[in-house]
Amino acid sequence: KQEVTQIPAALSVPEGENLVLNCSFTDSAIYNLQWFRQDPGKGLTSLLLIQSSQREQTSGRLNASLDKSSGRSTLYIAASQPGDSATYLCAVVTSGTYKYIFGTGTRLKVLA
Amino acid sequence: EAGVVQSPRYKIIEKKQPVAFWCNPISGHNTLYWYLQNLGQGPELLIRYENEEAVDDSQLPKDRFSAERLKGVDSTLKIQPAELGDSAVYLCASSLDSAGDHEQYFGPGTRLTVT
């Protein structure tokens, strides 16, 4: 059974700092991995989708990497801003299923 | 282009009462998902539709929960009767298909409080 873990559970950093959020999964046979952002009281916003054949994806100040063999993905945020404050969730689709399994998220606070 | 629309945004009901949530996915999206999200947790899938067919409802508590997606577009999720433990956010999402090649897009959710 696929399990997704995100560390740390919460993170507080000063504005301008580069940071890394971690996501690990127990079954490396994944179809894809997606990073989401969730603001308080809101739904999820897709940030990056990485297919199993890819090693990384970039969008603006965000870079997500995928290492299937070690069951890990990282989300790198460059030059963090107060507007980046949110909960970041990763989700994986295990091969042979069409079901997203979510981690519990990392709650990020960027201080001005 | 409009995103995934859900209503109501908030609902407060007494236990044992029925409740229904509505979702309108992004136009052209064949796959529709209903998720449940408890506070501090990631979403958990309740049911997935491919067009009008429920292809994965293994996590749906069928004794009290039901869902439908008539005509393969809008969907309704119902709880009858509601229990205190059903208090959570119910999220709807859609994607072009479920092959995994396409991103899921989420609605704002319905926050249910059962008293």
Side-chain angles (χ1 to χ4, degrees), chain B residues 26-45:
Chain B
I26 293 174
S27 178
H29 281 195
N30 296 323
T31 306
L32 183 145
Y33 311 78
W34 281 103
Y35 288 90
L36 177 153
Q37 186 175 28
N38 287 305
L39 189 64
Q41 301 295 314
E44 298 175 24
L45 181 69

Side-chain angles (χ1 to χ4, degrees), chain A residues 31-32 34 36 38 40-49 51 89 93 97-105 107, chain B residues 9-10 33 35 37 40-43 45 48 56 58-59 91 98-104 106-109 111:
Chain A
Y31 194 78
N32 68 40
Q34 193 166 355
F36 295 88
Q38 186 171 31
K42 303 286 181 64
L44 281 68
T45 301
S46 176
L47 297 174
L48 291 164
L49 171 67
Q51 302 291 353
L89 294 136
V93 177
T97 77
Y98 296 109
K99 183 181 297 186
Y100 273 90
I101 304 296
F102 282 82
T104 54
R107 198 167 56 255
Chain B
R9 290 295 313 280
Y10 305 92
Y33 311 78
Y35 288 90
Q37 186 175 28
Q41 301 295 314
L45 181 69
R48 173 171 63 92
D56 184 355
S58 57
Q59 302 299 312
L91 294 164
S98 62
D101 295 342
H102 303 105
E103 296 170 66
Q104 287 193 37
F106 281 77
R111 182 176 298 276

Side-chain angles (χ1 to χ4, degrees), chain A residues 3-111:
Chain A
E3 293 182 3
V4 181
T5 304
Q6 291 187 247
I7 294 173
L11 182 63
S12 186
V13 301
E15 182 178 6
E17 195 162 294
N18 302 324
L19 57 100
V20 174
L21 307 181
N22 297 294
C23 172
S24 61
F25 43 95
T26 55
D27 186 346
S28 61
I30 65 169
Y31 194 78
N32 68 40
L33 182 146
Q34 193 166 355
W35 282 94
F36 295 88
R37 167 187 174 138
Q38 186 171 31
D39 293 283
K42 303 286 181 64
L44 281 68
T45 301
S46 176
L47 297 174
L48 291 164
L49 171 67
I50 310 178
Q51 302 291 353
S52 62
S53 58
Q54 299 173 322
R55 304 238 354 144
E56 66 177 342
Q57 283 284 353
T58 299
S59 176
R61 294 182 295 108
L62 305 179
N63 176 275
S65 67
L66 175 63
D67 183 345
K68 281 199 319 177
S69 61
S70 66
R72 295 181 62 182
S73 175
T74 60
L75 178 66
Y76 176 83
I77 303 176
S80 58
Q81 304 171 357
D84 294 331
S85 298
T87 296
Y88 290 80
L89 294 136
C90 71
V92 300
V93 177
T94 306
S95 297
T97 77
Y98 296 109
K99 183 181 297 186
Y100 273 90
I101 304 296
F102 282 82
T104 54
T106 293
R107 198 167 56 255
L108 172 66
K109 187 168 186 178
V110 180
L111 305 171

Side-chain angles (χ1 to χ4, degrees), chain B residues 15-81:
Chain B
K15 63 181 180 182
K16 301 185 181 179
Q17 295 301 305
V19 65
F21 315 124
W22 176 80
C23 173
N24 181 243
I26 293 174
S27 178
H29 281 195
N30 296 323
T31 306
L32 183 145
Y33 311 78
W34 281 103
Y35 288 90
L36 177 153
Q37 186 175 28
N38 287 305
L39 189 64
Q41 301 295 314
E44 298 175 24
L45 181 69
L46 289 172
I47 190 168
R48 173 171 63 92
Y49 280 94
E50 291 292 344
N51 298 304
E52 66 273 10
E53 183 182 359
V55 294
D56 184 355
D57 62 356
S58 57
Q59 302 299 312
L60 190 72
K62 299 180 183 65
D63 57 334
R64 298 184 300 107
F65 286 65
S66 64
E68 61 182 12
R69 190 184 184 196
L70 299 176
K71 301 181 181 179
V73 181
D74 295 3
S75 178
T76 304
L77 178 69
K78 298 179 182 177
I79 308 175
Q80 182 170 13

